[in-house]
Amino acid sequence: MSNDTPETRDTTGRFLKRAAEKAHDLHTVSDEGVHPMAKILFGWTEAKHIGAIMFWGLGLLGAFLIVLDLFVNRHDYFTFANSTGFYGLYGFAAFTFVVLMGWPLGNLLRRGENYYGDAGGPPADVDPDRPQGPADVHPTYEGDE
Amino acid sequence: MPDFLTALNPGWLLILAGIVAIFLPMRRLRQGITIAAPLIGIAMLALADQNVNHLTASVMGLDMILYRVDGLSFVFGIAFLLAALLNAIYAWHTDNRLQDGMALAYAGAAIAAAFSGDLMTLFIFWEITAVTSVFMVLAAGTRASYFASMRYLGIQVLSGVLLLAGAAYVYNNTGSLSMKAFVSLSEPGALLIFIALGIKAAFPFMHNWLQDSYPKASVVGAVVLSAFTTKLAVYAFIRLFPGQDALIWIGAVMTVFPVFFAVIENDLRKVLAYSLNNQVGFMICAIGLGTAGVGNALALNGATAHAFVHIIYKGLLFMSMGAVLYRTGTTKASELGGLYRSMPWTALFCIIGAMSISAFPLFSGFVAKSLTMSAVSHEGLTIVWLMLLFASAGVMEHSGIKIPYFSFFGHDSGLRVKEAPFNMLLAMGMGAFICIAVGIPALIPGLGYEWLYNLLPYREEAMNYQPFTFDHILTQLQLLVLATFAFVLLKRFGVYPPEKPGTILDTDWLYRKIGFGMAQWAGTVWGKVGPAMTAVFFGLTGQAYDRIEAAFSPRGELARGGLTGAMAVWTAALLGLVLLLAFITVG
């Protein structure tokens, strides 16, 4: 939007116009296809060394929560759950176990995508303007011989 | 309110509006109806007296209670109506008469079932949910979805048939169809109903209809499906089987096993379907605990509160994945990533849903799950409690991290699409608002989590419970922060399994491969044996005919020359026999 408002306009009008322009900018996607809100909400995920920051940040936060546990006299129904850092360590162990089980289970249970026949692409009500992948030339369908 | 309005079950209103919508070609008018009907339903429900039979009927000697509201059904009714409202807003950009109408009728059937006061009425609406919901899968229009919908319909109708058989058995034994809690499963009627409900709640080994059909449904259809069927089963379990010990273990297993499937599944809508399984497990486990005293109130409140918040946040997560599917045409984790650049609002709402389902403090899952966890530990069930805690870390993995991370962050897929349509964002925003609004402390008395606790069936016990204690918050944060740290650690060292396209085998393999194979084999065998048997049959009958013809036909043995003599002898012999019989019987 060009700013061709005559200088004679009163300041409230200019203020509203600027606000409107600002609002317009906030939902106008840039040429690279990036939504302006993305920078505001999640720009921090593109920071340099974000991986290291997350790693050390979460590690320190976790350590802090466990240390905090030392000073709190919790009263769980189970005595073992009252031990310092039980929840944190259990959560860590459970999460790691589940994820690492993904390796053997994936090998055991994963079959080809068309194991039961071709899934037949996306449902009918998707956006017709969506980016198109390479067309499937000879689809075979589930139930076909 | 006029009498006829107080007697009208809000579910019926939605079903009627749904039927009208199917035949209404004017798009905006139709969609106006789909939004107005749930709003009117909420108003009707808010004004309805509780614990009164608003509408009864006597059909063929059966006393049916068609509309009855009490503390329990009220919560489910409100949740279903809210879900119907959000779904209607979410579908605003579509133009599909059948889907609009059937979605509304499906919601209506679930609501009407929740407000039914006897097993026969429950059965009728139970079946209507099956028949209307299948259109959500069919709406996808692919052949795979057609086959999935037929499997889905078969299993849903089976559930209904078992429910009817159980109800008939109960009626025969007791002469009553009222919705009383069953004491034991040893009675065949109770067992049949238990299995019928178990199928709809997707018990382990009966669960695969869910993962089979929901991810193949249309964009809007999957959102609609996520709210009603399983939660209706949860409602029926609270009503009919509270404190049933078997449910504790079934529920605990249900929370744990989907976690492993969700880790390796590539289709994110299927991950959500597994996650749905896991969440319903928490509710089922809680229902099993409800025996007596404090534990009972805590556990049943937990199941009810969990169902309410779950309907909203699972809907929200399905909506966000639906928006991704709508814009990109896929929900495969291996093809997505980095979408926050194009769809930041969707990403934000998805994260709110993810934090709610992971039960972060200040989000709705926390205030509901705390009740269940407290009830389990209150009963001293160590192993069950450890299983549920394990599953809580699992939820963090598949719904808390995997869903948002692999679609919106992680490796940039290079997909640059438009943000979701405004109506989708509005529906997601409303869902996200509810997730936070019922998850925060009651800064103003009666709002925040207290609003939800006020609705629960055991209101006083609920209001005495404090979710925001320092203990709860600290332990929950420890669990979640260190689980997240585990994710970052595993990613950093490259041992997190990569997302690969593929089909993950589950119990549906038994009927889709073995069962299908056996049916094919039986078909082949029949193709060969059938004609052979026909040949044998015609051979035998042909021979018999030939013999009969040889004896009795005009050219046959008996028609030959000696006929008259032979006939006279035969007639005389028969006459003698008859006379002899008459003589003996009369004498």
Side-chain angles (χ1 to χ4, degrees):
Chain A
M1 255 188 181
S2 63
N3 189 2
D4 52 0
T5 316
E7 286 300 316
T8 49
R9 224 2 125 67
D10 64 306
T11 46
T12 26
R14 290 179 66 84
F15 174 75
L16 280 177
K17 190 166 191 292
R18 283 217 194 97
E21 276 178 5
K22 183 92 182 154
H24 178 77
D25 287 347
L26 279 179
H27 66 261
T28 307
V29 177
S30 74
D31 293 338
E32 297 87 54
V34 178
H35 196 292
M37 279 310 287
K39 274 269 171 286
I40 298 168
L41 287 171
F42 302 111
W44 56 272
T45 59
E46 285 170 19
K48 252 189 180 177
H49 310 303
I50 185 69
I53 295 169
M54 292 285 278
F55 178 77
W56 290 108
L58 281 167
L60 286 174
L61 181 60
F64 168 74
L65 288 170
I66 291 176
V67 170
L68 193 61
D69 210 358
L70 284 171
F71 303 102
V72 182
N73 186 21
R74 288 192 282 110
H75 15 74
D76 257 303
Y77 290 94
F78 302 113
T79 38
F80 62 85
N82 279 323
S83 47
T84 305
F86 168 79
Y87 284 85
L89 297 178
Y90 190 77
F92 183 86
F95 193 99
T96 312
F97 176 71
V98 166
V99 169
L100 292 182
M101 281 303 282
W103 291 98
L105 282 176
N107 288 335
L108 187 69
L109 297 175
R110 189 177 286 114
R111 298 289 184 276
E113 257 191 323
N114 296 335
Y115 182 72
Y116 293 119
D118 194 273
D125 59 343
V126 293
D127 189 0
D129 302 332
R130 71 186 184 281
Q132 300 283 345
D136 205 349
V137 192
H138 292 296
T140 53
Y141 292 106
E142 186 176 17
D144 283 353
E145 286 295 322
Chain B
M1 223 166 28
D3 275 350
F4 72 94
L5 267 186
T6 53
L8 179 61
N9 189 325
W12 294 26
L13 174 78
L14 265 65
I15 295 175
L16 291 174
I19 294 169
V20 171
I22 292 171
F23 297 102
L24 210 59
M26 290 83 89
R27 178 179 171 198
R28 292 302 179 205
L29 180 62
R30 181 176 72 237
Q31 289 173 327
I33 288 177
T34 61
I35 290 175
L39 284 172
I40 297 170
I42 291 172
M44 282 165 62
L45 187 54
L47 294 173
D49 292 327
Q50 297 204 357
N51 299 315
V52 182
N53 293 341
H54 292 290
L55 184 65
T56 56
S58 191
V59 182
M60 293 187 289
L62 291 178
D63 291 322
M64 294 167 76
I65 301 166
L66 300 171
Y67 182 28
R68 181 187 167 86
V69 186
D70 66 7
L72 178 63
S73 54
F74 182 83
V75 186
F76 281 85
I78 284 285
F80 287 155
L81 284 163
L82 279 174
L85 177 66
L86 295 184
N87 295 344
I89 296 172
Y90 189 75
W92 184 260
H93 68 282
T94 62
D95 186 9
N96 186 339
R97 278 192 294 161
L98 196 59
Q99 181 168 274
D100 286 350
M102 284 299 177
L104 198 58
Y106 172 37
I111 295 161
F115 291 133
S116 61
D118 67 287
L119 291 172
M120 192 49 72
T121 316
L122 178 71
F123 160 74
I124 292 168
F125 291 108
W126 195 263
E127 287 291 42
I128 296 179
T129 58
V131 174
T132 47
S133 59
V134 76
F135 288 91
M136 303 300 115
V137 188
L138 278 171
T142 61
R143 284 193 63 184
S145 74
Y146 168 75
F147 288 114
S149 71
M150 290 301 117
R151 288 189 290 269
Y152 171 86
L153 189 61
I155 292 170
Q156 296 295 311
V157 170
L158 173 69
S159 159
V161 170
L162 289 172
L163 179 63
L164 180 64
Y169 205 98
V170 169
Y171 183 68
N172 191 36
N173 270 6
T174 64
S176 150
L177 281 173
S178 70
M179 299 265 281
K180 298 194 294 277
F182 292 102
V183 182
S184 114
L185 285 180
S186 55
E187 190 201 338
L191 188 63
L192 284 171
I193 295 176
F194 187 82
I195 297 171
L197 268 52
I199 291 175
K200 281 236 185 193
F203 276 5
F205 304 111
M206 306 178 190
H207 64 283
N208 246 163
W209 60 266
L210 203 159
Q211 288 82 13
D212 184 17
S213 57
Y214 285 18
K216 297 196 183 81
S218 65
V219 170
V220 174
V223 178
V224 177
L225 283 168
S226 74
F228 304 109
T229 298
T230 47
K231 261 63 72 186
L232 176 60
V234 166
Y235 163 78
F237 267 119
I238 300 179
R239 192 53 88 191
L240 298 173
F241 297 100
Q244 196 58 250
D245 288 341
L247 290 177
I248 299 175
W249 288 99
I250 293 172
V253 171
M254 252 174 112
T255 59
V256 171
F257 85 86
V259 164
F260 294 99
F261 284 99
V263 164
I264 47 178
E265 180 56 55
N266 188 36
D267 182 349
L268 294 177
R269 287 205 299 175
K270 206 164 186 175
V271 172
L272 285 179
Y274 277 114
S275 156
L276 210 168
N277 232 206
N278 149 294
Q279 292 289 302
V280 172
F282 279 95
M283 300 168 214
I284 294 293
C285 185
I287 297 167
L289 287 170
T291 42
V294 187
N296 177 45
L298 205 55
L300 293 186
N301 275 342
T304 314
H306 207 149
F308 181 93
V309 297
H310 177 254
I311 287 171
I312 304 295
Y313 60 59
K314 186 45 60 75
L316 175 57
L317 286 168
F318 264 105
M319 283 183 200
S320 66
M321 285 303 107
V324 168
L325 176 63
Y326 178 73
R327 285 303 193 203
T328 66
T330 182
T331 47
K332 288 178 188 147
S334 54
E335 295 173 19
L336 293 173
L339 275 177
Y340 80 88
R341 294 176 183 83
S342 318
M343 311 177 78
W345 288 114
T346 310
L348 178 70
F349 296 138
C350 179
I351 290 171
I352 292 173
M355 290 180 86
S356 300
I357 196 172
S358 314
F360 266 92
L362 304 183
F363 292 87
S364 60
F366 178 72
V367 297
K369 209 195 256 177
S370 296
L371 289 165
T372 306
M373 295 303 281
S374 295
V376 176
S377 59
H378 207 271
E379 301 279 325
L381 297 164
T382 318
I383 295 176
V384 174
W385 185 78
L386 285 173
M387 284 168 85
L388 295 196
L389 203 60
F390 176 87
S392 301
V395 177
M396 184 64 201
E397 204 289 317
H398 60 250
S399 294
I401 293 177
K402 180 168 176 168
I403 294 284
Y405 182 79
F406 285 103
S407 47
F408 298 109
F409 303 98
H411 160 78
D412 184 9
S413 60
L415 287 168
R416 294 291 178 269
V417 292
K418 280 186 274 186
E419 175 59 287
F422 179 73
N423 64 299
M424 281 188 171
L425 291 178
L426 181 65
M428 284 190 267
M430 288 167 74
F433 172 79
I434 298 173
C435 283
I436 295 173
V438 302
I440 55 175
L443 301 172
I444 303 166
L447 291 180
Y449 79 89
E450 279 186 5
W451 180 83
L452 177 64
Y453 280 16
N454 247 323
L455 296 178
L456 297 179
Y458 297 91
R459 192 175 156 274
E460 266 177 46
E461 286 86 346
M463 294 305 279
N464 285 334
Y465 183 81
Q466 284 295 331
F468 289 101
T469 63
F470 190 76
D471 281 21
H472 277 157
I473 297 171
L474 176 67
T475 51
Q476 186 67 9
L477 278 180
Q478 267 192 20
L479 183 85
L480 297 175
V481 168
L482 275 133
T484 316
F485 177 66
F487 173 76
V488 181
L489 186 79
L490 293 166
K491 267 281 177 198
R492 201 168 166 79
F493 289 99
V495 284
Y496 193 96
E499 296 302 313
K500 281 188 199 158
T503 307
I504 304 297
L505 300 187
D506 198 344
T507 50
D508 61 346
W509 181 78
L510 287 173
Y511 54 86
R512 290 175 74 179
K513 279 286 168 185
I514 301 267
F516 185 65
M518 276 168 65
Q520 266 191 333
W521 176 80
T524 317
V525 168
W526 182 248
K528 293 209 163 70
V529 169
M533 278 165 63
T534 314
V536 168
F537 177 76
F538 277 119
L540 288 175
T541 48
Q543 277 179 19
Y545 180 80
D546 287 347
R547 297 248 167 98
I548 292 167
E549 195 188 31
F552 294 105
S553 78
R555 294 174 301 283
E557 198 68 40
L558 291 179
R560 283 209 194 135
L563 171 75
T564 38
M567 272 311 253
V569 173
W570 277 109
T571 314
L574 280 173
L575 185 62
L577 189 67
V578 169
L579 281 173
L580 190 66
L581 279 173
F583 182 71
I584 292 168
T585 48
V586 173

